[in-house]
Amino acid sequence: MVYLSSEEIFGLDADSGELLWSSFCRNGWGNNAADPVWLPPDRIWVASLPDDGARLLRLPSAADGADGVEVLWHQSTVSVHHWNALPFGDHMITAVGSQ
């Protein structure tokens, strides 16, 4: 299960509630409205406005533990808030806004 809070994105085991992984993703407005996008087999694209931009995360394997999230790409000027993104081949399609 994946949850995006105003400070971070994290994965939980749906049966036990155990924290599997987490990564910083801050939103100064106290919300994150754009849905994270799962990109099999092990990546999540997540965006936040106005503070943190967008990032592509590689999620850890079971052996990596909760500290194994790797930021593969981050761009602070890609401000996505109310609009969701869609994967299209090796690209993401979304509306990008600004403050």
Side-chain angles (χ1 to χ4, degrees):
M1 184 168 58
V2 174
Y3 180 76
L4 180 60
S5 75
S6 63
E7 297 291 326
E8 65 184 326
I9 182 170
F10 51 91
L12 301 169
D13 182 287
D15 293 325
S16 69
E18 174 189 1
L19 177 66
L20 301 174
W21 55 267
S22 68
S23 185
F24 178 79
C25 186
R26 185 177 188 287
N27 181 300
W29 291 338
N31 64 47
N32 274 315
D35 292 336
V37 178
W38 171 246
L39 301 167
D42 62 355
R43 297 175 185 192
I44 287 187
W45 187 88
V46 62
S48 179
L49 175 84
D51 302 319
D52 204 37
R55 61 186 63 222
L56 178 64
L57 305 174
R58 185 193 62 80
L59 302 183
S61 68
D64 293 330
D67 295 328
V69 175
E70 179 183 1
V71 178
L72 298 174
W73 175 83
H74 176 242
Q75 180 51 256
S76 62
T77 59
V78 177
S79 299
V80 179
H81 182 61
H82 294 294
W83 316 280
N84 288 317
L86 298 170
F88 185 76
D90 291 337
H91 299 79
M92 295 301 289
I93 299 174
T94 189
V96 177
S98 66
Q99 301 182 52

